[in-house]
Amino acid sequence: MGKVYLVGAGPGDPDLITLKGLKCIQEADVILYDRLVNKELLNHAKDGVELINCGKLPDYHLLQQDTINRFLVKYAKKGKIVTRLKGGDPFVFGRGGEEAEALAKSGVSFEIVPGITAGIPVTHRDHASSFAIVTGHRKKDEEDNIKWESLAKGIDTLAIYMGVKNLPYIQGKLLEHGKSPETPVALIHWGTLTTQKTAVSTLAKVVETANYEQISNPCMIVVGDVVNLREKIKWFEGKQTENLLANEAF
């Protein structure tokens, strides 16, 4: 019997994977990876590794979740070391819980390797003492059971995953339930990669801003006063400049 590692690859920058996650890539016989995983990480895999692209484009899944679950079980039962590589963290909208359930049901040994999910201050003593992680979309035809009133009135910072397609709906729900139209909002496209693009707006104007800036998924939407800190601590833009200058010098 082999073993499965459910590994978080981090937010995009290959340097932000954990040491344990990197070891799981290096030792794997089989790697099943998602679309948002930085492909540079696969360069660390050993010779002869079997790479399986699980896809998961918006509205299109190269492999259905049930198929992925079966693959994980099948390869582990063949005695393989299997690394399931996911963007961010496997337990933050990564379906890691579903895969862990399938492995446990089949008697397959597995381990969770957490990943870094963001590089933004979701809390701050002067701005926010609470935050919530919210999905930006639901299963097809699934009823909206998100507690919008609680999110609008009871939480300081909202980190909304993959919500650009439903941004008008999200905006409407938050305004409807009492969130101030002047609440700052940041749209972070391809976070921590050299292609990162960040647009800052207000809740009232965020849909207009997203359209104007041509922001699309993958995107993290951050809603709350912590967004006002961006001008002071926008560390990643500085790193992008450093990398550009280094490449030009080379």
Side-chain angles (χ1 to χ4, degrees), residues 138-143:
R138 310 294 296 170
K139 290 181 180 178
K140 187 176 181 180
D141 300 324
E142 184 179 48
E143 183 180 352

Side-chain angles (χ1 to χ4, degrees), residues 6-234:
L6 303 178
V7 179
D13 185 337
D15 289 342
L16 294 179
I17 194 169
T18 63
L19 287 173
K20 182 65 176 287
L22 186 59
K23 289 178 182 177
C24 291
I25 293 172
Q26 293 169 334
E27 297 172 5
D29 300 309
V30 182
I31 299 176
L32 292 89
Y33 63 96
D34 281 346
R35 179 179 72 100
L36 298 183
V37 168
N38 192 312
K39 304 307 182 292
E40 289 183 32
L41 291 172
L42 301 177
N43 294 332
H44 296 282
K46 65 185 181 183
D47 291 341
V49 66
E50 184 169 354
L51 300 176
I52 300 174
N53 182 359
C54 296
K56 293 190 177 181
L57 289 164
D59 298 322
Y60 174 74
H61 288 183
L62 187 62
L63 292 181
Q64 296 294 328
Q65 188 61 53
D66 287 345
T67 302
I68 294 171
N69 295 348
R70 289 198 297 271
F71 276 10
L72 295 175
V73 171
K74 179 183 76 171
Y75 283 111
K77 288 191 172 182
K78 287 184 176 181
K80 305 288 187 180
I81 299 299
V82 182
T83 291
R84 175 71 174 102
L85 199 57
K86 301 167 174 291
D89 183 277
F91 278 2
V92 181
F93 300 127
R95 301 192 183 180
E98 296 175 44
E99 291 169 0
E101 282 186 296
L103 293 168
K105 183 178 180 180
S106 299
V108 172
S109 177
F110 66 92
E111 187 173 333
I112 309 300
V113 182
I116 300 167
T117 58
I120 52 175
V122 291
T123 62
H124 189 287
R125 286 191 299 171
D126 297 330
H127 297 274
S129 59
S130 62
F131 74 94
I133 297 173
V134 186
T135 180
H137 65 277
R138 310 294 296 170
K139 290 181 180 178
K140 187 176 181 180
D141 300 324
E142 184 179 48
E143 183 180 352
D144 182 0
N145 59 2
I146 295 175
K147 298 177 175 57
W148 290 106
E149 184 173 4
S150 298
L151 293 176
K153 295 180 179 178
I155 305 294
D156 295 323
T157 305
L158 304 178
I160 303 172
Y161 283 63
M162 296 298 187
V164 170
K165 182 177 179 181
N166 293 326
L167 189 54
Y169 178 79
I170 293 167
Q171 176 198 52
K173 283 295 183 180
L174 291 174
L175 291 173
E176 175 188 339
H177 289 92
K179 200 75 172 173
S180 169
E182 299 306 312
T183 303
V185 180
L187 303 168
I188 306 166
H189 175 64
W190 283 119
T192 76
L193 292 180
T194 55
T195 52
Q196 175 176 316
K197 181 177 182 179
T198 304
V200 174
S201 185
T202 63
L203 186 57
K205 298 179 180 179
V206 66
V207 173
E208 179 183 342
T209 299
N211 291 334
Y212 179 78
E213 297 289 347
Q214 297 183 319
I215 300 292
S216 60
N217 279 322
C219 178
M220 172 74 76
I221 304 168
V222 182
V223 182
D225 288 343
V226 293
V227 173
N228 288 328
L229 296 170
R230 178 178 176 271
E231 284 303 313
K232 293 181 180 179
I233 59 173
K234 51 182 180 180

